[in-house]
């Protein structure tokens, strides 16, 4: 029998979570589906209102009509349906104040996960280094490796409200550094990087002639009036930034698999040129639905109100558990809990899984700085009472763990 693994590229060979590895990472299919089949509940997928039906009426009408019309049997252009690109350009221009040309600055991707790695592909090759704040989205550590490069984690800390500290970036700069990759607002911490800190980071990027990939999947919901700054709007950044966005989180349409990248014409020229080879094309039916979803921003407003209230309830409950500390979420749909007084990330997540029958994410999956934390997707379920019930079940397990350790 051939050892096919020896033929697989070094940087793909030890990827985990395939057929022969049992890992608890929540977004690797089997673990989740088996747990759900056994009656477990998933609060580990950053998917608003999962598992309840939550398709907005206007989007449903568009989908039904598009199926009736029958055109959906056909491809969209690989760079994205023209009307969807126009809609995206309008939304992004309004948000950022930058005039976005739908035919030069926007590409539609099948979800932003593919957009993220595609943004990096033209820039990262063997040996290149990518500075990645830690904790952050797990893909940010794997993507550079899949391209033959290396993620260099830059620590963030709870005490600094997870804001980037430029000295930590400087320490890790090398002659192989090509890129800074941020998730902004950050997942798992929910932190919005503040203008001042972004300005300092962007000066560093310009000075060292780096590229920035800014994953803004969670940009739709920023709470407490915190200012959200798109780094591409800062001096010298437009021509060196790829901004990656999604309709999965704020608008809550992850099942449609639509994301997009915004960038300067020169970068976009390359992304357009290789689109058919790498992305194929996005789903025609989903593209039509995405136009409706983006044009009618009442979905965003409705979700915002609901999720803003939800994060307060989550904070009140989780922050009152002995031995647990958490800051109120600044954005999005998550709670990020320091449970280090109760055990390791894995131990605490396993115990919640066993005793509350709920899957949450061990913080260790988000980089070394995530150890001692867990991530809970607080936006699960449409009804407040359903969410509350689960918060209380998780809380009871954590209180029990605290009592076992004599923490009161
Ligand atoms: C920070 C972040 N970026 C990107 C994605 C990818 O989302 P999608 O591919 O659904 O757009 C996710 C999904 O969880 C995420 O958390």
């Amino acid at each position: 029998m051939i050892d096919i693994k020896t033929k697989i590229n070094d940087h793909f060979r030890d990827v985990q979570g395939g057929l022969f590895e049992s890992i608890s990472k929540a977004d690797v299919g089997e673990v989740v589906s088996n747990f759900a089949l056994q009656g477990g509940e998933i609060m580990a997928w950053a998917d608003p209102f999962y598992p309840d039906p939550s398709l907005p009426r206007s989007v449903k009408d568009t989908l039904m009509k598009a199926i009736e019309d029958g055109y959906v049997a056909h491809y969209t252009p690989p760079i994205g349906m023209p009307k969807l690109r126009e809609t995206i350009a309008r939304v992004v221009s309004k948000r950022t104040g930058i005039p976005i040309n739908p035919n030069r600055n926007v590409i539609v991707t099948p979800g932003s996960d593919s957009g993220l790695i595609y943004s990096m592909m033209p820039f990262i090759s063997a040996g290149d280094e990518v500075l990645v704040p830690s904790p952050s989205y797990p893909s940010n550590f794997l993507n550079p490796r899949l391209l033959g490069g290396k993620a260099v984690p830059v620590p963030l800390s709870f005490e600094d409200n997870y804001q980037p500290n430029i000295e930590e970036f400087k320490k890790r700069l090398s002659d192989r550094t090509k890129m800074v990759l941020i998730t902004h607002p950050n997942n798992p911490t929910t932190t919005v990087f503040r203008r001042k800190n972004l300005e300092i980071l962007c000066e560093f990027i310009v000075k060292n002639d780096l590229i920035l990939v800014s994953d803004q999947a969670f940009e739709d919901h920023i709470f407490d009036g915190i200012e959200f700054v798109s780094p591409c709007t800062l001096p010298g950044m437009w021509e060196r930034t790829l901004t990656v966005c999604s309709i999965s989180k704020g608008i809550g349409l992850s099942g449609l698999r639509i994301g997009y990248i915004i960038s300067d014409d020169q970068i976009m020229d390359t992304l357009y040129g290789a689109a058919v080879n790498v992305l194929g094309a996005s789903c025609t039916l989903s593209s039509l639905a995405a136009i409706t979803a983006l044009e009618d921003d009442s979905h965003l407003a409705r979700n915002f109100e609901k999720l803003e209230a939800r994060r307060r309830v989550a904070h009140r409950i989780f922050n009152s558990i002995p031995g647990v500390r958490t800051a109120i979420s600044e954005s999005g749909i998550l709670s990020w809990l320091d449970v280090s007084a109760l055990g390791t990330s894995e131990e605490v997540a396993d115990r919640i899984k066993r005793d509350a029958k709920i899957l949450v994410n061990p913080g260790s999956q988000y980089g070394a700085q995530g150890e001692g934390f867990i991530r809970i997707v607080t936006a699960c379920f449409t009804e407040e009472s359903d969410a509350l019930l689960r918060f209380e079940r998780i809380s009871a397990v954590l209180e029990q763990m605290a009592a076992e350790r004599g923490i009161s």
Side-chain angles (χ1 to χ4, degrees):
M1 193 167 133
I2 342 167
D3 182 3
I4 216 77
K5 285 255 175 186
T6 61
K7 297 185 186 298
I8 292 176
N9 270 340
D10 278 355
H11 36 280
F12 271 79
R13 195 170 303 136
D14 50 352
V15 165
Q16 292 185 306
L19 274 180
F20 308 111
E21 299 257 1
S22 166
I23 64 163
S24 61
K25 191 166 176 282
D27 41 10
V28 179
E30 290 272 280
V31 174
V32 174
S33 30
N34 288 343
F35 185 63
L37 280 175
Q38 290 154 16
E41 292 180 306
I42 319 299
M43 295 179 81
W45 265 350
D47 186 349
F49 312 120
Y50 176 86
D52 293 336
S54 57
L55 192 61
R57 181 80 242 176
S58 60
V59 177
K60 185 172 179 182
D61 289 347
T62 299
L63 289 167
M64 303 301 275
K65 180 169 180 312
I67 290 171
E68 281 298 324
D69 290 350
Y71 176 76
V72 296
H74 302 297
Y75 285 127
T76 57
I79 63 171
M81 188 179 279
K83 182 145 191 264
L84 177 54
R85 280 186 279 118
E86 279 165 29
T87 309
I88 290 168
R90 219 174 16 255
V91 169
V92 178
S93 296
K94 193 167 159 207
R95 275 194 181 179
T96 58
I98 296 181
I100 304 291
N101 181 333
N103 303 317
R104 296 181 73 94
N105 305 131
V106 183
I107 186 167
V108 178
T109 57
S112 67
D113 268 330
S114 55
L116 266 178
I117 193 156
Y118 193 40
S119 295
M120 303 174 68
M121 282 174 82
F123 299 101
I124 302 303
S125 49
D128 290 337
E129 295 182 0
V130 181
L131 298 173
V132 181
S134 167
S136 83
Y137 186 46
S139 299
N140 295 348
F141 301 106
L142 181 57
N143 280 340
R145 194 147 65 86
L146 295 181
L147 299 173
K150 185 176 143 193
V152 177
V154 182
L156 306 175
S157 75
F158 184 96
E159 286 68 26
D160 291 343
N161 187 27
Y162 294 109
Q163 294 297 313
N165 175 344
I166 199 64
E167 297 311 318
E168 299 293 343
F169 281 83
K170 284 183 186 162
K171 267 190 241 167
R172 291 164 178 81
L173 183 73
S174 81
D175 53 7
R176 300 311 313 256
T177 309
K178 277 277 188 73
M179 178 179 281
V180 172
L181 167 58
I182 60 173
T183 295
H184 169 54
N186 201 3
N187 167 8
T189 64
T190 80
T191 321
V192 178
F193 297 139
R194 300 301 197 268
R195 177 181 283 280
K196 189 79 223 140
N197 298 324
L198 280 175
E199 282 170 353
I200 295 170
L201 180 61
C202 290
E203 271 168 31
F204 165 86
I205 289 170
V206 172
K207 183 171 169 219
N208 294 292
D209 197 19
L210 307 177
I211 294 292
L212 176 70
V213 170
S214 180
D215 171 7
Q216 297 180 188
F218 284 91
E219 72 181 347
D220 290 326
H221 292 159
I222 312 291
F223 304 125
D224 301 323
I226 297 171
E227 182 192 24
F228 182 78
V229 178
S230 275
C232 69
T233 62
L234 295 176
M237 291 305 293
W238 170 248
E239 59 267 37
R240 58 176 73 244
T241 303
L242 296 98
T243 305
V244 183
C245 303
S246 177
I247 65 165
S248 295
K249 311 299 178 184
I251 304 183
L253 291 172
S254 59
L256 294 185
R257 308 309 304 131
I258 295 287
Y260 54 94
I261 305 170
I262 302 293
S263 83
D264 172 67
D265 317 27
Q266 286 202 66
I267 295 174
M268 198 53 86
D269 185 48
T270 301
L271 297 185
Y272 280 7
V276 69
N277 301 59
V278 182
L279 302 173
S282 298
C283 169
T284 304
L285 183 60
S286 295
S287 299
L288 291 166
I291 295 168
T292 302
L294 285 161
E295 278 177 346
D296 178 359
D297 56 11
S298 64
H299 315 308
L300 258 185
R302 184 205 56 195
N303 292 355
F304 186 94
E305 199 178 320
K306 214 170 163 57
L307 299 175
E308 200 283 323
R310 187 73 72 81
R311 59 129 198 181
R312 285 180 193 278
V313 174
H315 181 253
R316 179 174 49 74
I317 293 179
F318 296 135
N319 206 38
S320 65
I321 303 167
V324 171
R325 61 176 188 158
T326 175
I328 190 157
S329 302
E330 293 187 348
S331 68
I333 58 176
L334 314 167
S335 281
W336 178 242
L337 275 54
D338 178 354
V339 292
S340 54
L342 309 183
T344 66
S345 293
E346 290 281 348
E347 283 166 355
V348 175
D350 281 350
R351 187 74 182 265
I352 293 170
K353 185 175 171 190
R354 192 193 75 186
D355 295 353
K357 305 274 179 288
I358 295 175
L359 202 66
V360 300
N361 307 98
S364 47
Q365 291 171 354
Y366 300 83
Q369 278 61 35
E371 177 46 48
F373 288 75
I374 56 169
R375 190 192 80 156
I376 301 169
V377 181
T378 45
C380 288
F381 308 102
T382 46
E383 294 304 321
E384 293 314 301
S385 52
D386 287 337
L388 187 63
L389 213 66
R390 274 65 177 197
F391 295 168
E392 283 168 352
R393 264 165 49 199
I394 293 172
S395 185
V397 174
L398 296 175
E399 277 166 10
Q400 174 64 27
M401 291 185 84
E404 287 164 12
R405 282 159 185 74
I407 302 169
S408 56

